[in-house]
Amino acid sequence: MRRTRQRIALLALPALVGSMLVATGPAGADPTGPSATVGQSHIDDRDAVRLVHIRLTGADMLDTVTAAGFDLEHGLRRVPTGIEGEAVVTAEQLTALKGMGVEVLADDAGFAWADEADGGFGAAGARAVQPSSHEATVRVVRADWFTTKGQGFLYVEARTTEGQQAEPIVGMQLENDSGKGSPFGFSRTMSRFVDSGQYMFHRNLFKLDTRPDKIRVTSSTGGVATGAVSNWLEDAPPPLTANPSYKSDFVDGYRHPQQLYSRAKEIARQYPDIAEIVYLPNQTNGYQRKAQAQIGGTGQAAVVVTSAAWGHEGGNDITVDFVDRPGANLPLAVEVAGKAVRVLLAKDAAGGPASTATEVAEALRTRSQGLIDRAHPYRANEGTGIVAPTAGPVALTDFLDQKRVGAPAGEVPRGPVTIPVLRIGKHRDGKKPGVLIQAQDHAREWVPATTSLESAERLVHNYRSDRETKKIVENTDVFFILSNNPDGANYSFYNFASQRRNMTNHCPDANADPGRRNSWGVDLNRNYRVGSGHDGYAGASTSCVSDTYQGPAELSEPESKNIIWLVEKYPNIKFMMSVHSNGGQLFWQPGAYIADGRITTPRPPLGDEAFYWQSAARILSQVKAHRETVVTPENVGGSSDVLYSSAGNVREDLYHTYGIYAFGWEVGGSVYNPATGDWQGGSFQPEWVGNPDLVSGHAETMEYANGIMEMFRVAADWGRDKKDPTSQLVPGAGRYTKPVDVRFETSEPATVYYTTDGSRPTLESPRYAATEFREPGQVFHVTETTTFRWFSVDSAGNIERNYDPTKSDRRNNYRTATIKIVNR
Ligand SMILES: [Zn+2]
């Protein structure tokens, strides 16, 4: 008799906390400052920005700085004293940042954790008796050993239950042994990690030459915990590239969106049996802008003029002339001849000029025969100044005609773009697990696009010759969006290298002058619906000139609407990687919180969390296999746990709405440099060849493509997983003469649903949870006879013993164990 398989979705998450509004800074904060002065018709278009290394005291300062419109995304790192990273700023912005308390570090100040012990608080703590677990005040969260480029490192997270206590602050000391059976020593003070007012844990990363077997953590109030040291990325199987006939290294330079899309289409033509193009339905708003001029400086007499037509559709042909006429008592008038607009300025009784900026703007809007549909005073001005005549006609421009030195050759097509998705898989029938690789939501991140293209090339070129690749192509259904922000990416390539957002200008008049054009656009990875800024979550801005602008509404942008369309059209998509740069991080949920109280989006159940960690280790092991780049464990996990809250990101939406395992990747980033003994940070657009051992677009492309291939294998394994998980209570059923501590163990990443009240377990029963986030499962302290009833569900939805929790089933083949406590 054929057995019916029970496979269920594990998405029984609690509802999101209700919407609440959070006060934000005033819109229209001025990030370009007084330097954005605009001349008659010329605007200095040099990217007057530079990259500086900065340190912030913590998440609160990050929020303040972000809300003020600063560009501080990516490459940020938690450090013991706050958050360090890079900012793309002008000289004036730098002054403003300093005014907000931001510390500016020396250039190239690569971050390194202190690796010197700086004393301890005596031996008293170490002598304390270790309390039993339910009374413990100290727990080891993780202790990881890894090596890179000949150097060993130990990373430890530990928690004290007294961590939130303010006075006195509870300190933690860390010791390690030097291998099995050796004594503890090398006492050093751990760093306390506080975020949004909440104590998170203590943590340290430091160099060690010998792998320890155990660590010991002691709190200043006498709590002690020991823990075994685990390997991090040390036990990786050989990468696919180890096969001598494996083909790789297809991408030989950065690619602009036209090149990416044209290669995607070519691949679909060359490999029709395994590849096709799916066109996304919503066209982008386009690499295009209205033509503009700012006439008369920045004072009360200045007028900002914007064409009704796009620049390339006639706007760039318009001229505007403010004309002085002889005479007195003359009214303001407008003459239009072809695309030439002449404003005949009014004269007063004495023959002096008499038109204000407000009056001239109004005349242009209403009397230019439709050529000008937006004209207004400059920024917050009232427009009371008397407008001066121009020296002659002023040409309007969309400022898209400059070509950057060094940009790839080729004309940038203007206007809306249809984004092609390259779909690769032998069986594209919706039955194989789908994997969405989405690159370059953020325009200036060039390596994510080349990493994704390299991955696609490896699939199609190795399909016939490499057994592992054949298995991937036959068992997955992969969707590549090689650039999800083509308009912004073109702007980054050809006009303004630091562009992050798309090119849609949602700004009102006060921020609509051309001096603001590099500050327009929506941050596509803040434009989604779950845990969004519109819902009150932190890490997105309401300011239309902020680099984390969330947009006027959730899913306001075609690029984010498309992602939702794709995962709804292809519900077999169960995995997603949102590929960004740079930082050397791998993220999942939770990725956003409400700052007041630090209320995160719901945490994944323990089974999902364990599956994420297991998958991350597989993926990152393959990254490491290329040139020993280690994404360190402190940079892996829920993104708002280890870095910052990013409201409205795509990962939260896809996981919570569709049950998709949604990863976020910051490729590039810190690499250990044995010559200096420091970690060296990456950049958005590293030199393509660069230093192949350190910062190099080519090396990053190759190593992270290894990781994407492993993600496909994770998905293929998941799709083939028909095996039920098993679980047990440890220690198990039996007679105990004293209270006993018990916990669940599972044979693979799985979530346990249990009861202790005699009822049959269902999907509504309590879920076995972590003691706290990033920790293993909780410990139950059993003082009276208790019967546990439970079942487990793995990440693929297989249920232990094929139990059906949705039906009252006479077999009742869930698991059960009675802990009998007998008094002697
Ligand atoms: Zn990004």
Side-chain angles (χ1 to χ4, degrees):
M1 195 175 83
R2 190 146 184 266
R3 197 176 165 216
T4 313
R5 303 300 310 179
Q6 297 295 341
R7 278 164 73 96
I8 57 161
L10 242 188
L11 204 74
L13 293 165
L16 288 175
V17 283
S19 295
M20 51 187 287
L21 284 173
V22 166
T24 48
D30 184 347
T32 46
S35 72
T37 308
V38 174
Q40 175 92 342
S41 63
H42 277 288
I43 296 179
D44 185 358
D45 196 51
R46 284 171 304 176
D47 302 338
V49 291
R50 59 193 164 121
L51 208 59
V52 293
H53 292 260
I54 55 167
R55 179 155 61 217
L56 301 94
T57 53
D60 291 346
M61 186 182 282
L62 181 63
D63 283 349
T64 305
V65 169
T66 306
F70 281 95
D71 176 355
L72 297 183
E73 268 300 296
H74 303 299
L76 293 178
R77 279 178 72 90
R78 285 280 178 190
V79 297
T81 48
I83 299 171
E84 282 186 6
E86 291 174 334
V88 181
V89 291
T90 63
E92 285 72 18
Q93 287 179 302
L94 194 57
T95 307
L97 276 178
K98 288 175 181 165
M100 285 183 239
V102 174
E103 185 183 351
V104 178
L105 306 170
D107 274 7
D108 299 318
F111 164 67
W113 292 91
D115 55 4
E116 295 295 319
D118 58 347
F121 30 75
R127 280 200 303 271
V129 176
Q130 185 175 353
S132 59
S133 59
H134 53 284
E135 295 162 343
T137 58
V138 173
R139 296 189 303 268
V140 173
V141 177
R142 52 187 312 124
D144 295 306
W145 165 260
F146 64 86
T147 56
T148 179
K149 299 181 179 171
Q151 179 62 56
F153 287 88
L154 178 64
Y155 173 69
V156 176
E157 286 173 16
R159 209 174 239 129
T160 162
T161 56
E162 300 160 323
Q164 190 69 21
Q165 183 177 308
E167 281 298 327
I169 286 175
V170 175
M172 301 263 267
Q173 292 291 118
L174 169 67
E175 297 163 284
N176 60 272
D177 65 15
S178 303
K180 216 168 183 117
S182 62
F184 286 116
F186 320 104
S187 179
R188 47 179 85 69
T189 301
M190 295 191 75
S191 303
R192 183 169 176 260
F193 173 25
V194 176
D195 184 54
S196 202
Q198 300 289 310
Y199 168 72
M200 305 287 282
F201 40 78
H202 281 72
R203 62 177 172 182
N204 280 83
L205 173 71
F206 52 89
K207 290 178 199 168
L208 272 186
D209 292 332
T210 309
R211 185 193 188 284
D213 182 55
K214 286 194 166 53
I215 57 143
R216 180 165 66 187
V217 178
T218 310
S219 78
S220 54
T221 57
V224 180
T226 58
V229 174
S230 304
N231 280 344
W232 175 250
L233 315 183
E234 288 293 285
D235 314 307
L240 300 184
T241 48
N243 175 351
S245 66
Y246 189 81
K247 301 180 203 69
S248 64
D249 206 350
F250 294 97
V251 184
D252 60 4
Y254 289 118
R255 294 283 185 273
H256 59 60
Q258 294 72 248
Q259 293 170 319
L260 294 169
Y261 296 166
S262 111
R263 180 59 192 147
K265 292 170 191 173
E266 193 175 49
I267 286 174
R269 280 194 302 273
Q270 288 174 333
Y271 302 91
D273 54 330
I274 55 168
E276 66 180 296
I277 296 292
V278 173
Y279 288 99
L280 295 174
N282 301 292
Q283 286 200 311
T284 67
N285 291 328
Y287 175 81
Q288 60 186 1
R289 271 200 306 239
K290 302 298 175 70
Q292 293 192 297
Q294 181 176 325
I295 304 174
T298 59
Q300 288 294 345
V303 181
V304 176
V305 183
T306 304
S307 64
W310 296 107
H312 66 287
E313 291 178 345
N316 288 338
D317 303 329
I318 297 172
T319 60
V320 171
D321 199 358
F322 296 165
V323 181
D324 186 23
R325 294 168 289 171
N329 277 326
L330 296 171
L332 179 62
V334 179
E335 290 177 358
V336 178
K339 295 288 179 65
V341 179
R342 284 164 55 84
V343 177
L344 309 178
L345 300 169
K347 303 302 277 280
D348 62 18
S355 293
T356 65
T358 301
E359 289 163 353
V360 168
E362 204 261 341
L364 281 167
R365 287 197 308 272
T366 56
R367 291 191 259 166
S368 64
Q369 299 182 9
L371 292 174
I372 306 297
D373 66 354
R374 191 172 194 179
H376 48 85
Y378 177 73
R379 300 204 179 168
N381 290 349
E382 300 287 326
T384 52
I386 299 298
V387 169
T390 52
V394 175
L396 273 59
T397 170
D398 60 10
F399 296 97
L400 292 177
D401 54 350
Q402 302 100 1
K403 295 284 183 272
R404 287 177 64 84
V405 176
E411 273 302 302
V412 184
R414 304 287 178 92
V417 172
T418 298
I419 298 176
V421 184
L422 175 58
R423 184 182 186 188
I424 298 176
K426 181 65 184 165
H427 309 288
R428 301 183 304 281
D429 54 5
K431 298 206 171 84
K432 299 294 180 186
V435 186
L436 169 58
I437 305 296
Q438 180 219 35
Q440 209 174 27
D441 247 354
H442 293 148
R444 64 192 173 204
E445 299 166 12
W446 295 0
V447 178
T450 53
T451 301
S452 303
L453 178 59
E454 170 72 15
S455 305
E457 299 279 10
R458 289 186 190 181
L459 285 183
V460 296
H461 282 98
N462 290 295
Y463 168 60
R464 293 189 191 288
S465 53
D466 178 71
R467 213 173 128 257
E468 284 301 316
T469 305
K470 193 173 172 67
K471 279 203 276 186
I472 291 170
V473 173
E474 290 185 342
N475 292 292
T476 61
D477 187 2
V478 178
F479 298 79
F480 287 101
I481 300 177
L482 299 174
S483 172
N484 196 44
N485 183 2
D487 307 339
N490 276 317
Y491 198 57
S492 173
F493 273 108
Y494 293 101
N495 304 93
F496 176 60
S498 295
Q499 178 75 13
R500 167 182 165 92
R501 294 168 278 161
N502 70 4
M503 286 185 66
T504 310
N505 176 10
H506 289 288
C507 284
D509 290 351
N511 281 302
D513 56 278
R516 282 283 195 259
R517 67 190 183 284
N518 290 341
S519 301
W520 297 330
V522 175
D523 183 342
L524 299 176
N525 206 25
R526 299 294 184 277
N527 194 231
Y528 290 83
R529 303 164 299 180
V530 174
S532 77
H534 301 276
D535 299 333
Y537 285 75
S541 175
T542 55
S543 166
C544 68
V545 291
S546 162
D547 233 351
T548 54
Y549 178 47
Q550 64 196 19
E554 293 168 352
L555 297 185
S556 60
E557 304 307 295
E559 295 89 345
S560 43
K561 281 193 189 96
N562 279 337
I563 301 300
I564 300 303
W565 175 87
L566 189 73
V567 300
E568 291 191 346
K569 168 112 176 157
Y570 301 99
N572 62 314
I573 295 177
K574 287 296 168 195
F575 291 83
M576 189 260 190
M577 181 73 88
S578 173
V579 193
H580 291 251
S581 70
N582 66 95
Q585 284 132 346
L586 183 56
F587 293 144
W588 52 85
Q589 298 72 42
Y593 54 69
I594 293 169
D596 185 8
R598 205 182 180 285
I599 302 162
T600 68
T601 53
R603 291 187 175 279
L606 208 50
D608 282 12
E609 174 78 1
F611 181 65
Y612 270 129
W613 275 105
Q614 184 187 65
S615 306
R618 286 180 61 175
I619 292 165
L620 297 176
S621 293
Q622 296 299 300
V623 173
K624 186 185 175 191
H626 184 73
R627 53 163 192 164
E628 294 222 35
T629 295
V630 171
V631 173
T632 60
E634 87 245 46
N635 287 309
V636 176
S639 59
S640 64
D641 291 341
V642 295
L643 197 61
Y644 50 69
S645 174
S646 48
N649 71 71
V650 63
R651 306 181 305 271
E652 304 298 303
D653 203 329
L654 297 199
Y655 178 74
H656 290 293
T657 312
Y658 304 101
I660 295 169
Y661 290 107
F663 294 87
W665 217 351
E666 297 283 345
V667 305
S670 286
V671 193
Y672 181 68
N673 181 353
T676 61
D678 281 333
W679 292 82
Q680 183 160 338
S683 73
F684 294 120
Q685 296 145 16
E687 279 183 56
W688 179 253
V689 176
N691 180 338
D693 294 325
L694 293 172
V695 181
S696 153
H698 175 257
E700 290 168 16
T701 295
M702 297 306 141
E703 67 193 349
Y704 282 92
N706 274 11
I708 288 182
M709 304 315 284
E710 188 62 22
M711 185 175 177
F712 297 151
R713 295 211 285 187
V714 167
D717 291 347
W718 180 91
R720 285 186 303 233
D721 179 4
K722 302 286 188 282
K723 195 165 172 249
D724 295 348
T726 61
S727 60
Q728 53 182 333
L729 200 62
V730 180
R735 289 161 62 88
Y736 298 87
T737 55
K738 294 189 296 230
V740 58
D741 289 341
V742 301
R743 62 196 159 77
F744 286 109
E745 282 183 0
T746 59
S747 59
E748 61 175 306
T751 298
V752 171
Y753 295 80
Y754 70 95
T755 67
T756 54
D757 62 0
S759 63
R760 61 187 293 276
T762 70
L763 290 168
E764 279 71 53
S765 302
R767 273 198 309 243
Y768 183 55
T771 307
E772 273 201 59
F773 65 92
R774 292 171 77 80
E775 291 190 40
Q778 65 201 108
V779 173
F780 301 108
H781 187 58
V782 181
T783 56
E784 294 171 19
T785 296
T786 303
T787 298
F788 288 86
R789 292 173 172 79
W790 78 93
F791 62 93
S792 63
V793 187
D794 74 12
S795 57
N798 299 302
I799 304 183
E800 186 168 11
R801 291 180 170 181
N802 207 31
Y803 171 60
D804 184 350
T806 66
K807 287 196 204 99
S808 188
D809 175 342
R810 215 166 302 156
R811 292 181 303 159
N812 274 344
N813 54 339
Y814 49 77
R815 304 287 311 275
T816 169
T818 299
I819 305 290
K820 200 169 174 65
I821 309 284
V822 292
N823 296 316
R824 344 175 71 166

